[in-house]
Amino acid sequence: MLFSSKSKGYICDQNEQSTVIARVTSLDAPLVVEAIVECSSFDEAGLRAGVVQVCPKKPAGYLHAICGVSPEQRFVRRASLDPKRLKEADYLSEVATTQFRIDAVNSAISVLNAFDGTDFDPAKSASAKEVFFCGMPGEDVTKAQTTFLSAGIYPERLEISTVAALGAIIDYLRYSKSQKPTIVLELGANSTQSFIISTRGLEASRPIAVGLEAMVPVVQKELGLKDEESARKLFFSNTFDFTGMGSSLCKRLLKELQSSMGFYEVQTGQSIGQLVCIVLPSKLAWLEAVIASQIGVGVLQPEFAPWLAARNITLSESVAAMSLDARKFALFGLMTQFPIQSNDVAV
């Protein structure tokens, strides 16, 4: 197997909608982000072209990269464990299976501490009980590896982008001294991953069986279109202003989000202050403001440059000039390990 030179580092974040590749001067901070290339995850030729574009010299073989993926069947589920049962050999598998319906046998699973993101060790964490299960079906691991290899990318490490993004946002909240618990959304075609985070770490997680496709029939009905395919093309084209019907489009999603918010606020006595969408097609970016408005919160507007500079990550002039939005949190989360703080630590 031939690999490209390791004089540069490469980071690749692929979600359901888009793939982003970055070239960095090192895989350890301090580092400079020299280039970022983005393409559709549905465009195999575009991904191969992106590899060539981001690499200063044509790679002699595969491009080594740290890769993040977000397959539809991924899971990031928060749980409160029973300390009395931690010594039971099958307890964690039981929780995964019974509480979250995870196929523990055929899935790649990690159990991490909810407030510092470190590996959960029952033997060393006798009193700890707040954790989250993260992973994906084994077949998705194989599929991701095959996809990257066919594009000329060798996954040096394979992570779940969702976890990387949550860790980065939590660190950003700390850096900016934000006291606002935040809803993080990943809006996919058929489902939505919803999380509540704070400077403490991951507070809550909830999968919602409503995605962007659920909005298509609403568009068809509201506009009197002849079929769903016509409605789908219009909805995803960004050629029509749908903000006026935003509450109707998001009705089912809003109901689930309001339920999660209410439960969290009653439990903790804290109010959700803002929302951020980290997986959302760029042409549907307006949905973020619509959802935030409907649930009565603000939108997190990240200022990447000063935060990254504080973490010894510098943006080159060409990258700094790009329009960097919240969808890049996962990419930056894959680049570095964020500082762990005692009694107030990030996922």
Side-chain angles (χ1 to χ4, degrees):
M1 187 76 69
L2 295 175
F3 301 107
S4 60
S5 170
K6 291 190 176 182
S7 59
K8 302 290 183 181
Y10 297 89
I11 314 292
C12 182
D13 169 41
Q14 183 173 73
N15 61 46
E16 188 177 331
Q17 299 144 7
S18 63
T19 300
V20 185
I21 310 173
R23 184 178 75 243
V24 295
T25 55
S26 170
L27 292 177
D28 297 299
L31 61 87
V32 177
V33 184
E34 295 183 329
I36 293 178
V37 175
E38 184 171 359
C39 65
S40 168
S41 291
F42 304 103
D43 184 1
E44 293 184 11
L47 180 54
R48 288 192 292 270
V51 170
V52 174
Q53 184 179 348
V54 80
C55 189
K57 296 181 181 180
K58 185 177 180 180
Y62 289 102
L63 189 74
H64 249 207
I66 293 174
C67 297
V69 293
S70 297
E72 187 174 358
Q73 298 303 314
R74 71 192 178 282
F75 47 86
V76 179
R77 305 283 186 267
R78 196 182 188 285
S80 295
L81 302 179
D82 181 354
K84 296 179 181 179
R85 298 192 60 192
L86 290 180
K87 293 183 180 180
E88 297 179 20
D90 298 328
Y91 177 54
L92 294 179
S93 294
E94 178 187 320
V95 172
T97 302
T98 58
Q99 287 193 29
F100 307 122
R101 298 179 183 178
I102 294 171
D103 183 352
V105 175
N106 298 306
S107 298
I109 304 175
S110 290
V111 183
L112 307 178
N113 291 294
F115 296 142
D116 65 12
T118 57
D119 291 329
F120 178 74
D121 184 347
K124 298 179 180 178
S125 309
S127 61
K129 65 175 185 176
E130 304 304 322
V131 302
F132 63 98
F133 292 74
C134 60
M136 67 184 91
E139 60 184 9
D140 282 341
V141 175
T142 302
K143 183 179 179 181
Q145 291 172 330
T146 301
T147 298
F148 285 128
L149 289 172
S150 66
I153 299 172
Y154 182 88
E156 188 169 295
R157 190 168 77 233
L158 192 63
E159 301 184 17
I160 296 179
S161 295
T162 303
V163 177
L166 291 174
I169 300 170
I170 291 167
D171 187 73
Y172 181 83
L173 295 181
R174 289 186 174 148
Y175 163 79
S176 59
K177 294 181 170 54
S178 173
Q179 299 303 311
K180 299 177 180 179
T182 302
I183 286 187
V184 180
L185 295 182
E186 295 182 316
L187 283 96
N190 301 306
S191 63
T192 297
Q193 302 290 329
S194 170
F195 306 95
I196 297 176
I197 61 172
S198 71
T199 52
R200 282 208 318 163
L202 179 60
E203 302 281 2
S205 65
R206 184 179 183 183
I208 300 173
V210 178
L212 298 172
E213 286 292 334
M215 302 179 189
V216 173
V218 181
V219 171
Q220 181 187 2
K221 180 179 179 181
E222 292 281 336
L223 298 182
L225 300 174
K226 62 179 181 178
D227 55 48
E228 284 194 3
E229 187 56 32
S230 299
R232 182 176 292 103
K233 289 180 179 178
L234 183 62
F235 180 55
F236 288 99
S237 68
N238 197 29
T239 58
F240 185 88
D241 185 359
F242 287 100
T243 53
M245 64 177 76
S247 59
S248 298
L249 288 173
C250 303
K251 184 176 181 180
R252 291 173 59 194
L253 177 62
L254 293 171
K255 181 180 179 181
E256 298 294 337
L257 290 179
Q258 288 164 343
S259 174
S260 296
M261 289 174 62
F263 183 76
Y264 172 79
E265 291 174 350
V266 168
Q267 264 197 328
T268 65
Q270 298 186 67
S271 297
I272 303 295
Q274 57 192 358
L275 171 144
V276 60
C277 294
I278 58 173
V279 175
L280 184 65
S282 58
K283 291 184 178 181
L284 297 181
W286 53 271
L287 265 174
E288 182 178 54
V290 167
I291 295 171
S293 174
Q294 290 295 316
I295 61 176
V297 301
V299 174
L300 173 64
Q301 304 285 357
E303 296 182 21
F304 283 113
W307 165 58
L308 292 172
R311 300 298 179 248
N312 291 315
I313 298 176
T314 304
L315 303 178
S316 68
E317 290 186 7
S318 61
V319 173
M322 296 177 67
S323 178
L324 299 176
D325 55 35
R327 295 177 304 140
K328 301 298 186 295
F329 267 119
L331 181 73
F332 294 126
L334 291 166
M335 285 184 187
T336 189
Q337 296 291 321
F338 296 106
I340 295 178
Q341 304 173 24
S342 59
N343 300 319
D344 183 30
V345 284
V347 171

